[in-house]
Amino acid sequence: MDLSTRLTRALSVKVATARTFGLVLIDKDNVAPTRLGRDINDPHTEIAARAKSFLEVPLYRKIFDTYKGGPLPKDADLETTIESFGVAPKQTKRARQTFQRSAGQAGVFNERQDRLVLPPGVSLDSTSSNGEKSRKMEQPPVINQTSTSDTNPLIAALIEELPSSGEWTREEHDLWARLFLRTVDKLYKAKE
């Protein structure tokens, strides 16, 4: 592979990543920065733009919504959660590591890096990466670890994934059931 091919591939990966984070728009052969892409390069708006860009990634947003403000689980349990969100089992470790690095760069960890929090002045009711006002993002109920129900957040997250209509394909049903059983097996040891 020649140098120009490697550079083209490397640039393509960087542009695709920037698009995933809501920093650029791609239209045929044109790449243009979004408002968020410009804000991330402005020292006055960089902190908020980093956090908002982090939340543009659907997996990261789902993890953030699941654990925000509460304690993050151990790495293995976080990987189980990531798998329950649809990441292939062989990719969960890498996805967790990338998530943690990105969260650090975005400034959404607290000081001890054991909770996800938004930086001061950053709101979930924000503008989207294309500059349009986004809908207010609803906050999921916080699961209180000290409540009397003692529902594990991993179990609660899986239950939230159940379809409201009560209908799904056999494949979706089987996948959810396998993820639920794996999660229960990891969290609770069976007495023999």
Side-chain angles (χ1 to χ4, degrees):
M1 186 180 332
D2 67 349
L3 179 61
S4 68
T5 303
R6 287 196 314 257
L7 289 175
T8 301
R9 286 185 181 172
L11 179 61
S12 295
V13 168
K14 289 179 189 260
V15 169
T17 302
R19 185 171 115 189
T20 301
F21 281 88
L23 301 175
V24 297
L25 292 174
I26 302 172
D27 182 28
K28 295 185 182 177
D29 293 330
N30 299 316
V31 177
T34 61
R35 179 178 178 166
L36 190 55
R38 289 187 297 276
D39 287 350
I40 211 163
N41 288 302
D42 180 344
H44 300 292
T45 56
E46 177 185 8
I47 291 170
R50 282 180 179 266
K52 289 177 183 179
S53 176
F54 173 82
L55 295 173
E56 287 282 320
V57 179
L59 175 63
Y60 297 174
R61 179 57 188 246
K62 192 148 184 126
I63 296 169
F64 181 86
D65 286 343
T66 301
Y67 294 107
K68 72 174 171 272
L72 282 170
K74 294 180 180 170
D75 289 350
D77 293 333
L78 183 54
E79 289 172 18
T80 301
T81 299
I82 289 170
E83 183 179 343
S84 76
F85 293 154
V87 174
K90 290 184 178 181
Q91 297 297 320
T92 57
K93 182 176 181 180
R94 181 180 224 172
R96 175 197 44 85
Q97 291 168 337
T98 304
F99 165 80
Q100 290 170 327
R101 271 194 311 274
S102 293
Q105 290 175 348
V108 297
F109 274 135
N110 66 346
E111 302 81 35
R112 293 178 25 202
Q113 295 195 345
D114 64 350
R115 294 174 189 266
L116 296 171
V117 295
L118 287 174
V122 177
S123 166
L124 292 178
D125 186 21
S126 63
T127 14
S128 66
S129 58
N130 63 9
E132 298 173 359
K133 187 74 175 165
S134 67
R135 63 181 174 77
K136 184 165 179 137
M137 297 178 193
E138 294 181 18
Q139 307 296 323
V142 176
I143 298 168
N144 184 352
Q145 294 287 350
T146 60
S147 72
T148 55
S149 67
D150 290 327
T151 303
N152 185 288
L154 295 173
I155 300 294
L158 281 169
I159 291 171
E160 285 179 20
E161 291 301 310
L162 289 169
S164 58
S165 69
E167 293 183 22
W168 51 4
T169 66
R170 171 55 59 190
E171 185 178 325
E172 292 170 326
H173 172 275
D174 292 348
L175 173 63
W176 186 90
R178 283 193 311 271
L179 291 173
F180 184 80
L181 287 174
R182 283 188 201 155
T183 303
V184 169
D185 286 345
K186 281 205 175 258
L187 294 174
Y188 306 101
K189 301 299 177 203
K191 293 181 183 177
E192 303 212 15

